Amino acid sequence: FVSYLVNSAFAPVPHGWRYMVGLSGVPAVVQILGSYYFPESPRFLLSKMKELEAREILSSITGQDADSILIDQQINEILQVSSIERSSGWRDLVRIEYRTKLIVAVGLQAFQQLAAINTAMYY
């Protein structure tokens, strides 16, 4: 909706397409600048053996004390999921039971990019 409003505002302007394309980069720049203020994820911190920092982040997200039972449960859950994920790898994607789903997903993405439907929908 916002892109439609911006594009309709610049449509009558001479060489307005340049402004339309240029303004499409503004959200990306805002996101890049904003990412410097985001804290590290508790999962990343636990993978780097920084449990105290992970507890602080979880505490600020949940509003619980860093030593609470809820934080302990969340940390244990993150560690369990991480250990399960380490046991799987890229080869699991091409196993027989996932092959059809993988072909459909990759095929849809390739078709969308090759058909340029995202560009047509944007403008």
Side-chain angles (χ1 to χ4, degrees), residues 1-59:
F1 178 73
V2 174
S3 64
Y4 173 77
L5 293 177
V6 170
N7 291 340
S8 64
F10 285 107
V13 175
H15 304 291
W17 67 271
R18 293 178 180 172
Y19 299 112
M20 293 179 204
V21 172
L23 286 175
S24 67
V26 171
V29 171
V30 170
Q31 186 174 8
I32 288 171
L33 294 175
S35 68
Y36 289 113
Y37 300 103
F38 293 147
E40 298 291 345
S41 72
R43 179 181 170 145
F44 174 77
L45 291 171
L46 287 172
S47 72
K48 300 298 181 191
M49 304 300 174
K50 297 181 179 180
E51 185 176 337
L52 291 176
E53 292 178 42
R55 283 183 177 278
E56 290 174 11
I57 298 295
L58 283 171
S59 174

Side-chain angles (χ1 to χ4, degrees), residues 91-111:
R91 286 189 175 177
D92 292 335
L93 282 177
V94 293
R95 289 184 9 209
I96 291 294
E97 60 264 19
Y98 299 124
R99 192 168 296 155
T100 304
K101 295 173 187 170
L102 180 66
I103 289 171
V104 168
V106 171
L108 285 173
Q109 288 293 317
F111 178 73

